[in-house]
Amino acid sequence: MLPVNPERFLADLHALRAFGAAGVGKGVMRPAFSDADIAARGWLADRMTEAGLSVHVDPVGSVFGLADGQSLLLGSHSDSQPEGGWLDGALGVIAALEVARAAVEAGGPPVSVVSFQDEEGRFGVTTGSAVWSGHLPLETADGLRDRDGESFGAARARMPGRSGQFVDPARFSGFFEMHIEQGPVLDREKEAIGVVDAIVGIRDMKVTFEGEQNHAGTTPMQGRRDAFQALSKFNTVLAERFANVVTPRTVWTIGHVTLHPNASSIVPGRVTFSMQWRDGDTDRLDRMERIIRETAQEVAASGGFELSYGPLLGLEPVMMDDRLRGALEASAAAEVPERWRVMPSGALHDATNVSKMMPVAMLFVPSIGGISHAFGEDTEEADLVTGLRVLAGAVDALG
Amino acid sequence: MLPVNPERFLADLHALRAFGAAGVGKGVMRPAFSDADIAARGWLADRMTEAGLSVHVDPVGSVFGLADGQSLLLGSHSDSQPEGGWLDGALGVIAALEVARAAVEAGGPPVSVVSFQDEEGRFGVTTGSAVWSGHLPLETADGLRDRDGESFGAARARMPGRSGQFVDPARFSGFFEMHIEQGPVLDREKEAIGVVDAIVGIRDMKVTFEGEQNHAGTTPMQGRRDAFQALSKFNTVLAERFANVVTPRTVWTIGHVTLHPNASSIVPGRVTFSMQWRDGDTDRLDRMERIIRETAQEVAASGGFELSYGPLLGLEPVMMDDRLRGALEASAAAEVPERWRVMPSGALHDATNVSKMMPVAMLFVPSIGGISHAFGEDTEEADLVTGLRVLAGAVDALG
């Protein structure tokens, strides 16, 4: 296996955390193109150079450390949530750096490194890798604005050392992204590694039941067309019907509810709510959608409600590449034989975009308590090192 | 029976509607102390004087037409909702005027008339009768402000002809209030008269379930503590348990829901919602409260939620006086033998306050489609006249 250096790897992770270190625990505030983010990317470029890689900052501020010729690409992102943790993205970047360094020291195989820009969506959604993949046109990205009204175009102009050219994806034979799980499964099961089989697909739409707004004192229960009751019934019936279709890895969420007029003395006449569901299998997403629409239709018809839908938003599932995933599985099986599993990624990652250009695979390490996007995010250092070793083993096997 | 004059009664109702006539249908905009309201009260005082009553405008602008000596008091309110109908309150005032007029013409019994001020709550809740009853101290009322910041104290100062004295309630042997139902029951059942047995009590409190906010993609269903799911389960279980306790006249409403953070991609960590229930029987209100608290406690305990309550707001039920109610029932039975019922009032009325000082009773006429507090409020004129006759019959019987 490639001779990775756990101490050097952990030291670099802590060094990166110093840029934007904030909050309690190991919190970080390093959103895309903040002073801390730009400084961190400069520091990272220096480490790449030291490791013998050629630094290339692409037009949107994603920082590549390129090996000569054809290579694997490893990485993630070094920007953070406005109030984030020290590992979300940073772990995959520093693990990539350490594997690339070890590969150079061992005389091969060639490994390139990337830190994508704005994965956390200050401006868009996985903006840097979305532009690189062609999924998001650069002109469109430049018009995206953050909460304070600053445009992506203005923000990226501040990044020093940018090239006018994007990196040619054809130089990479595949992409590995190591990431924290951001969920509770590995931590709860006391496992060290999750090999991702698919980044789940998401479907999301707003549903509206329109009933009849009425006086909450003078309107008998029997004649009511109470929009909240329609929502509650829909939610209950849906869970029963999903039971025959879902797997333990399927999720669905009603996270947004707007009642009208939302007053304690008025029978609510209208509710609009979000219905979101995620699964790694497109057929299952389709079946769930049919059940959602049938259930909503039945609740509306039986209670005298008008039913309407907002636009259906969605992302298709992304399957991991068999060969790359197989290398991760073999490496995990060798490193932690009883303490790894195959699992989906419920969250979106840069790998989603990169999969449009080359084979991709991902591995997860545990998130303590499932916490992420918060200062309290953390992982045991032993688990971080295990992740590094599994990644290095897979690269070695493919090299 | 007292020789009431339906044409004169209806003509006066339409004349009163001309003050603030607005909107579609028979809509009215005549909120307390608006120019239209003050003018309408002046017109009403003139009609009282014509009828041989002594006009007394009390310190808060409630207009009394007093018969000499001990008398029954009949009335309601002539102020309207900001966008209201022509009958809500006005009906009870003009019916009282016609019965008092007919009583004078018939040589007795003595009948006094009142139009209370600000029943519709521009400033408080049933403000005029609440101050008269002592339930709301005048100094407190004077500090109440409407949406535009005007105080009740400043508004009542604009009312001409006010006395410095409140009317002594001891001069009245009882109070009758005729009102539109403001609900759908009489209209749906094609009945003409509802004799009120009780003005229902109301209890209202905010309930909060605090679970765990999480990523809607990476958090499996099994480990979630989803506050919306807690609410939905509470609502479902509550309805099952209430089934053994409630009557067809009991109502309960979840009309206000606030989810946190209320985003489609986040498992909601907290929900605060309103739980309101109404019934004419205090014991039943108590039993329902116990069921609510037990159910919330069980949902919280079984799903790992923290449960908390806001303050319990409430009004106790007000029972109608047996003798006055009996007179209304006998009169209804004589006038429309198969087309009347005993029913609760789900809404609050001036009679609630007046009941602290003397026996009270109420009767309802149908609201077409159950509509009130809207321009579309209306009642068939034949039903208005039936109500007038039933009221006159009861007064005659008690006289």
Side-chain angles (χ1 to χ4, degrees):
Chain A
M1 197 181 80
L2 291 170
V4 289
N5 181 333
E7 290 71 31
R8 186 170 59 179
F9 159 69
L10 291 171
D12 276 351
L13 259 183
H14 284 284
L16 177 53
R17 194 233 152 191
F19 296 91
V24 296
K26 296 173 183 160
V28 163
M29 298 168 72
R30 198 167 61 224
F33 297 120
S34 62
D35 291 347
D37 173 59
I38 290 173
R41 288 172 189 273
W43 171 88
L44 178 65
D46 290 345
R47 298 293 79 68
M48 289 169 168
T49 302
E50 280 177 10
L53 303 171
S54 303
V55 172
H56 180 102
V57 181
D58 83 358
V60 295
S62 295
V63 177
F64 289 78
L66 300 173
D68 291 339
Q70 191 78 3
S71 69
L72 283 170
L73 178 66
L74 276 59
S76 187
H77 60 95
S78 56
D79 62 297
S80 83
Q81 284 281 323
E83 296 190 352
W86 72 306
L87 299 172
D88 183 350
L91 173 63
V93 172
I94 299 299
L97 175 67
E98 178 55 29
V99 172
R101 246 180 335 218
V104 168
E105 288 164 0
V111 174
S112 297
V113 178
V114 64
S115 169
F116 290 112
Q117 184 52 290
D118 197 31
E119 195 273 348
E120 295 290 7
R122 174 179 166 190
F123 298 93
V125 177
T126 62
T127 317
S129 57
V131 172
W132 186 41
S133 73
H135 181 63
L136 176 66
L138 183 56
E139 313 82 74
T140 308
D142 277 345
L144 297 173
R145 291 179 185 277
D146 73 358
R147 289 176 180 217
D148 298 327
E150 181 170 7
S151 72
F152 184 75
R156 74 183 175 95
R158 285 206 309 278
M159 179 76 194
R162 282 180 306 136
S163 165
Q165 301 295 316
F166 286 96
V167 173
D168 179 4
R171 66 184 294 154
F172 305 119
S173 55
F175 176 65
F176 279 117
E177 182 169 7
M178 173 171 162
H179 206 279
I180 54 169
E181 180 197 336
Q182 302 181 273
V185 175
L186 295 174
D187 183 50
R188 195 173 60 208
E189 304 297 332
K190 307 209 185 312
E191 293 175 342
I193 294 292
V195 176
V196 174
D197 54 357
I199 299 174
V200 304
I202 306 178
R203 297 198 189 169
D204 196 325
M205 64 181 176
K206 292 282 167 66
V207 184
T208 296
F209 289 116
E210 177 113 31
E212 188 174 32
Q213 179 178 328
N214 261 318
H215 191 296
T218 59
T219 313
M221 299 306 282
Q222 213 199 332
R224 293 187 177 194
R225 293 189 291 139
D226 179 327
F228 172 74
Q229 293 300 326
L231 164 59
S232 180
K233 183 174 177 189
F234 168 79
N235 175 65
T236 304
V237 174
L238 191 70
E240 292 164 5
R241 295 186 179 175
F242 274 175
N244 299 320
V245 173
V246 300
T247 76
R249 294 150 30 156
T250 311
V251 295
W252 67 96
T253 306
I254 293 174
H256 173 99
V257 173
T258 302
L259 271 191
H260 181 85
N262 213 29
S264 59
S265 283
I266 302 181
V267 178
R270 188 173 70 244
V271 66
T272 296
F273 60 97
S274 63
M275 182 72 233
Q276 185 188 88
W277 62 109
R278 306 190 190 209
D279 194 86
D281 180 68
T282 300
D283 286 346
R284 187 170 294 109
L285 291 172
D286 287 343
R287 287 201 296 279
M288 293 174 77
E289 183 175 340
R290 280 197 298 276
I291 292 171
I292 288 164
R293 292 183 187 271
E294 285 166 10
T295 304
Q297 182 55 44
E298 287 176 28
V299 168
S302 71
F305 298 90
E306 298 211 10
L307 168 66
S308 58
Y309 298 103
L312 177 68
L313 310 175
L315 289 168
E316 289 302 295
V318 173
M319 301 307 294
M320 298 295 100
D321 177 73
D322 282 344
R323 194 173 69 100
L324 269 60
R325 172 184 155 187
L328 288 171
E329 291 182 10
S331 184
E335 190 72 30
V336 280
E338 303 296 324
R339 294 179 54 234
W340 69 281
R341 69 165 57 204
V342 173
M343 66 188 296
S345 169
L348 199 62
H349 293 287
D350 286 312
T352 304
N353 295 314
V354 180
S355 74
K356 300 184 198 312
M357 300 180 287
M358 65 190 80
V360 304
M362 290 193 72
L363 77 162
F364 285 160
V365 295
S367 293
I368 296 174
I371 296 167
S372 73
H373 290 192
F375 290 149
E377 168 205 296
D378 207 356
T379 301
E380 297 290 347
E381 292 199 347
D383 290 333
L384 298 176
V385 171
T386 298
L388 174 69
R389 289 186 190 281
V390 171
L391 178 63
V395 168
D396 202 28
L398 291 171
Chain B
M1 197 183 75
L2 290 169
V4 288
N5 182 331
E7 290 72 30
R8 186 169 59 179
F9 159 69
L10 292 172
D12 276 351
L13 259 182
H14 284 285
L16 177 53
R17 194 234 152 189
F19 296 92
V24 296
K26 296 172 182 163
V28 163
M29 298 169 71
R30 198 167 61 223
F33 297 121
S34 62
D35 291 347
D37 173 59
I38 291 174
R41 288 172 188 274
W43 171 88
L44 178 66
D46 289 345
R47 298 291 82 68
M48 290 167 166
T49 303
E50 280 176 11
L53 304 171
S54 304
V55 171
H56 180 102
V57 181
D58 82 358
V60 294
S62 295
V63 177
F64 289 78
L66 299 173
D68 291 339
Q70 191 79 2
S71 69
L72 282 169
L73 178 66
L74 276 59
S76 187
H77 60 96
S78 56
D79 62 298
S80 83
Q81 285 282 323
E83 297 192 351
W86 72 306
L87 298 172
D88 182 351
L91 173 62
V93 172
I94 299 300
L97 176 67
E98 178 56 29
V99 172
R101 245 178 338 215
V104 169
E105 289 163 1
V111 173
S112 296
V113 178
V114 64
S115 169
F116 290 113
Q117 184 52 289
D118 196 29
E119 194 273 348
E120 296 290 7
R122 174 178 168 191
F123 298 94
V125 176
T126 61
T127 318
S129 57
V131 172
W132 186 41
S133 73
H135 181 64
L136 176 66
L138 182 56
E139 313 82 74
T140 307
D142 276 345
L144 297 173
R145 291 182 185 276
D146 74 358
R147 289 178 180 214
D148 298 326
E150 182 170 6
S151 72
F152 184 77
R156 72 183 175 95
R158 287 205 308 277
M159 179 77 195
R162 282 181 306 137
S163 166
Q165 301 295 314
F166 286 95
V167 174
D168 179 3
R171 65 184 295 155
F172 304 119
S173 55
F175 174 65
F176 280 116
E177 182 169 7
M178 172 171 160
H179 207 281
I180 54 169
E181 180 197 335
Q182 301 181 275
V185 176
L186 295 175
D187 183 49
R188 196 174 58 208
E189 304 296 331
K190 305 208 184 318
E191 292 175 342
I193 295 291
V195 176
V196 174
D197 53 358
I199 299 174
V200 302
I202 306 179
R203 298 199 189 168
D204 195 324
M205 64 181 174
K206 291 283 166 69
V207 183
T208 296
F209 288 116
E210 177 113 30
E212 189 173 30
Q213 181 178 326
N214 260 319
H215 191 295
T218 59
T219 313
M221 300 307 283
Q222 212 197 335
R224 293 186 176 193
R225 294 189 289 140
D226 179 327
F228 172 74
Q229 294 300 326
L231 165 59
S232 180
K233 184 174 175 187
F234 168 80
N235 175 65
T236 304
V237 175
L238 192 70
E240 293 163 4
R241 294 186 179 174
F242 273 176
N244 300 319
V245 173
V246 299
T247 76
R249 292 149 33 155
T250 311
V251 293
W252 66 97
T253 307
I254 293 175
H256 173 99
V257 172
T258 301
L259 271 192
H260 182 84
N262 212 29
S264 60
S265 284
I266 302 181
V267 178
R270 187 172 72 243
V271 65
T272 297
F273 60 96
S274 63
M275 180 72 233
Q276 185 186 88
W277 62 110
R278 305 190 191 211
D279 194 87
D281 181 68
T282 300
D283 286 346
R284 187 171 293 110
L285 290 173
D286 287 344
R287 285 201 297 279
M288 293 174 77
E289 184 175 339
R290 280 197 299 276
I291 292 171
I292 288 165
R293 292 182 187 272
E294 285 166 10
T295 304
Q297 183 55 43
E298 287 176 26
V299 168
S302 71
F305 298 91
E306 298 211 10
L307 169 65
S308 59
Y309 298 103
L312 178 69
L313 310 175
L315 289 167
E316 290 302 296
V318 173
M319 300 307 293
M320 299 295 101
D321 177 72
D322 282 344
R323 194 174 68 100
L324 270 60
R325 171 182 157 188
L328 288 172
E329 291 182 9
S331 183
E335 190 72 29
V336 279
E338 304 295 325
R339 295 179 52 236
W340 69 282
R341 69 166 56 205
V342 172
M343 65 188 297
S345 169
L348 199 64
H349 293 287
D350 287 312
T352 304
N353 295 314
V354 180
S355 73
K356 300 183 196 314
M357 302 179 286
M358 65 191 79
V360 302
M362 289 192 73
L363 77 161
F364 284 160
V365 295
S367 294
I368 296 173
I371 296 167
S372 72
H373 289 192
F375 290 150
E377 167 206 297
D378 207 357
T379 300
E380 297 290 345
E381 292 200 346
D383 289 333
L384 298 176
V385 171
T386 298
L388 174 70
R389 289 185 191 282
V390 171
L391 179 62
V395 169
D396 201 30
L398 291 172

